């Protein structure tokens, strides 16, 4: 916190083999954050760096074990069975200023670049305002080659719009530093924490990075999401009988 | 103000014996600020450092003696009869930016750490939206050991939520610098300056740090608070006869 | 991004002959941005410097080729047939903070000053709230000599008000660095992306800098603008029959 | 603009005799700004330093001579007939951030301190929400001695509240740097640019610093203000016949 707004605490500079970086930060529907947390636990990744920043929200939060902590970013790592090494970056919150987002993105990208990472993937939400039983996965990459490869795997390519915050900026900063990047966005209503969208995004990521990802632990959470959605739909059905509904055109179509 | 946003003016680096730091900054109900001011006057603490910051609100305020002053943070100190040394940190205002809150927290924690402080306590408000004659004291610490010791003294442990601003961040930054920290939050309505909550918090602090604290001077203020509360309750009682009231579920349950 | 908030990536320091800098950034009606983009393509300018900044909005946008990129500023250059060299500066977005706007302006002005630029022109919108078939061009310069020369070319001189954002600040910073500057503002309703206003501004710029500018490619876009305006006017005509209209005095007269 | 957010351009370090600094920046009713501008012209002060800052609003404004300029702070100086030297500081705008206000205040105070200034006076508005034919002058100083001397000259001493922005902060920073300071606040409605309040403040300043100040040029402006006030009062009188008016208790009593 002494120089600049981000402080990097390196625990280990791991020896990595053909590594990729996958990032998921808190955002709409917690799609990216849930997916990143799932990767950390299912691949039993170990923490290799921590990031504190004076641009994180000035607060502490009560964690699951009852203790409190200020927000921080965490970079995890492990080799995987297939031979490729996996870095995962996530955080408790997003920085509160543009400068904070740029500096944090820069710090993380610089670290993994030194470890040989050439491609950065971020996981995010594509908000449609309506519920879907089989969420699509949208995407956008920093090069035409990346876009071609995403498209071949079944990603629905974005035609316009933008991706705000760290989940967008991380691949932008990756490109500024000479790496390639892509964002995979799971279709979600934006109304609920959506483990189903996280599952869809991870299944697509598995194809894109050619790395098997076990999403069974997410399946249960996704089924809970589905129950919540069903209840909301039933409630909406009831109110639809008395209230005029927005047409599809009037519904929000925002990407975040 | 030349480098960074916080300027520390050291008056004295005191020789301290088994010291603790207690902090209370302006916040909801002035619970922490009233309690900190009470400690300064009842223990006859002397000022050992002052903090100005370009992130404090850009203004001057008329003080009790009629003169004006820009906002500043003040660190006080004295040995106590029981043998433990006591540091108290308070300020006229909280910084206006995240960066300012982090840097000020860091400056204060770094100072007391060099003087041997190992535990940092902050005093704050737990807002319930309703009035209580015997306010509970809630708490959260930065380690399981700290939480265990708080719980044994009668503190009601927080299960979720967070603590915003300097009263939260100071213990977070303490943890980042290798110290332990805890926040004690006095139950308060959030509607009035609540000396009763301050008194409750100080009585619990006395048990937690095993240091006798004379709260008799606060008692009178607490009784004034109680009168204000009684008047507000009477007014609410009257209006309740004509106006529908929020149920307990609809009332705010925010921690600040 | 390591020191300060703006990072300049110099591709080439061109040898320039009697050069001018013309700037157009996104703003009301995209008047300046459209005009700047037109200059880049019609004069086949080459990029000589890029600017990234941690004060640009933290996001990536999908470009025409389907790839994503963080916002950046771009400085273009080429000699022109008439002998004068032309620099054009544009950006995807304006910085989000005052500091960012000042630093970016300073970086661009410093670069072109070293290349011999003595005059800086910015292109912007003069919002009237009503539609015009032959938009006027307003202007304001940083010296009386500049104002006199603008006036002689047919620019309607501003008498009061101000010019906000980069399109204003760039000429202000130019003046602080010892250069002259002027802003040309195309009359526009403020309701549509207005290629007609861009065309009018470029035609005036052509007279002011005595450099032929081919605006034929803008003519088509201006005709599209005119169609949109005609439709809006027809709709307004219809609603005027039922709704009371603001008088000219009540309409906005803002410059941006 | 390269280091920090304020850039000081020194034109001259004048040899001063028993100097004071008087400051008036744009604020409510332009009371302080009008008064400072009046001092500059009536004492024929010369500019000795200029201040630009990346925290000033990012814009240029059309000046009286038709040219545009970014906001800047200006420090003026001259010996006066009575023997005391007079510094006056004013600016086109106030900085947009706390940091900017602190750094600008610090730069100005540091400059005049080196020239021997021991007392800093700021001129501001005391807003009452109602019109007064003979506006009172309120005040607050940074020491008891200063308050005593203000009171003896007829200043109505503030009992509580605060003074926001540069007109407050400048005396606060003066105190932090070992100087004395006081703010004189002219009673004003807050609804109009109030030259009458400026005149009242300057007449009191003249007594306080024992320096004759010719306010005849302000008299005419003050009479214009009085006409505007009379018209507003007549309009208020008319509407009072049909509309319920706020009682004195409901009117704003803010100091700025």
């Amino acid at each position: 916190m002494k120089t600049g707004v981000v402080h990097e605490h390196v625990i280990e500079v791991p020896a990595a083999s053909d590594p990729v970086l996958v990032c998921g930060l808190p955002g709409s529907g917690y799609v990216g954050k849930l997916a990143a947390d799932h990767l950390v636990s299912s691949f039993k990744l170990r923490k290799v760096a921590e990031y504190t920043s004076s641009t994180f929200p000035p607060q502490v939060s009560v964690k699951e074990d009852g203790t409190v902590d200020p927000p921080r970013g965490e970079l995890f790592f492990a080799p995987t069975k297939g031979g490729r090494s996996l870095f995962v970056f996530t955080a408790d919150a997003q920085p509160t200023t543009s400068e904070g987002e740029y500096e944090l993105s820069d710090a993380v990208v610089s670290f993994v670049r030194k470890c040989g990472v050439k491609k950065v993937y971020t996981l995010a939400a594509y908000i449609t305002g309506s519920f879907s039983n089989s969420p699509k996965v949208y995407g956008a990459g920093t090069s035409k080659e990346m876009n071609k490869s995403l498209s071949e795997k079944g990603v629905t390519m974005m035609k316009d719009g933008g991706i705000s915050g760290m989940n967008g900026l991380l691949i932008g900063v990756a490109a500024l530093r000479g790496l390639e990047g892509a964002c995979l966005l799971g279709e979600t209503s934006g109304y609920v924490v959506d483990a189903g969208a996280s599952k869809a995004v991870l299944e697509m990521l598995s194809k894109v990075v050619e790395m098997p990802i076990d999403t069974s632990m997410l399946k249960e959470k996704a089924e809970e999401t589905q129950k919540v959605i069903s209840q909301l739909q039933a409630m909406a059905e009831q109110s639809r009988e008395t209230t005029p509904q927005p047409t599809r055109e009037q519904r929000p179509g925002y990407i975040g």
Side-chain angles (χ1 to χ4, degrees), chain A:
Chain A
M1 269 171 286
K2 281 297 154 60
T3 58
V5 294
V6 169
H7 180 81
E8 182 181 63
H9 172 58
V10 177
I11 298 163
E12 175 194 351
V13 180
S17 161
D18 188 19
V20 290
L21 170 64
V22 179
C23 309
L25 281 98
S28 296
Y30 265 61
V31 174
K33 173 71 176 156
L34 280 183
D37 285 351
H38 179 79
L39 289 173
V40 171
S41 62
S42 67
F43 280 101
K44 295 190 176 64
L45 303 180
R46 66 181 183 267
K47 200 188 292 184
V48 294
E50 271 195 353
Y51 299 84
T52 52
S53 169
S54 60
T55 68
F56 276 132
Q59 62 188 39
V60 291
S61 300
V62 179
K63 294 183 294 184
E64 285 184 16
D65 70 357
T67 63
V68 292
D69 224 9
R72 62 182 84 192
E74 297 173 301
L75 183 65
F76 296 90
F77 170 83
T80 69
K81 283 179 186 166
R84 299 195 77 174
S85 296
L86 175 64
F87 283 97
V88 169
F89 177 68
T90 187
D92 299 308
Q94 299 218 7
T96 57
T97 67
S98 294
E99 284 94 336
E101 297 202 23
Y102 272 90
E103 288 207 18
L104 183 55
S105 299
D106 204 32
V108 173
V109 168
S110 298
F111 185 101
V112 298
R113 192 180 170 217
K114 282 183 211 145
C115 298
V117 164
K118 295 195 171 50
K119 290 183 182 171
V120 174
Y121 297 90
T122 57
L123 310 180
Y126 190 100
I127 298 176
T128 58
S130 59
F131 296 107
S132 166
N133 288 329
S134 55
K136 272 195 205 175
V137 175
Y138 292 81
T142 58
S143 70
K144 290 184 187 176
E145 298 70 40
M146 175 61 94
N147 277 1
K148 188 158 171 282
S149 98
L150 295 180
S151 180
E152 286 169 2
K153 303 291 184 180
V155 174
T156 305
M157 300 313 295
M158 286 173 62
K159 299 291 179 212
D160 50 24
I163 306 164
S164 299
M166 292 285 295
N167 291 325
L169 195 61
L170 272 158
I171 60 169
V173 168
L176 291 177
R177 297 276 167 271
L179 309 186
E180 281 193 284
C183 183
L184 298 177
L185 307 101
E187 186 184 2
T188 184
S189 66
Y191 301 143
V192 294
V193 174
D194 192 345
S198 300
K199 187 167 163 283
V201 157
L202 284 178
E203 285 163 357
M204 186 61 82
L205 178 71
S206 175
K207 289 188 206 167
V208 168
V209 299
E210 294 173 352
M211 188 186 282
I213 298 174
D214 177 7
T215 60
S216 55
M217 278 161 63
L218 262 183
K219 217 187 151 191
E220 197 180 335
K221 282 194 193 175
E223 285 165 0
E224 284 172 31
T225 302
Q226 199 50 50
K227 276 185 208 161
V228 173
I229 291 175
S230 300
Q231 289 168 356
L232 286 172
Q233 283 176 321
M235 284 163 62
E237 195 62 43
Q238 281 194 305
S239 73
R240 200 170 297 153
E241 290 161 19
T242 52
T243 324
Q245 285 299 299
T247 64
R248 180 166 289 274
E249 284 67 33
Q250 293 172 300
R251 283 181 190 151
Y254 178 77
I255 294 148

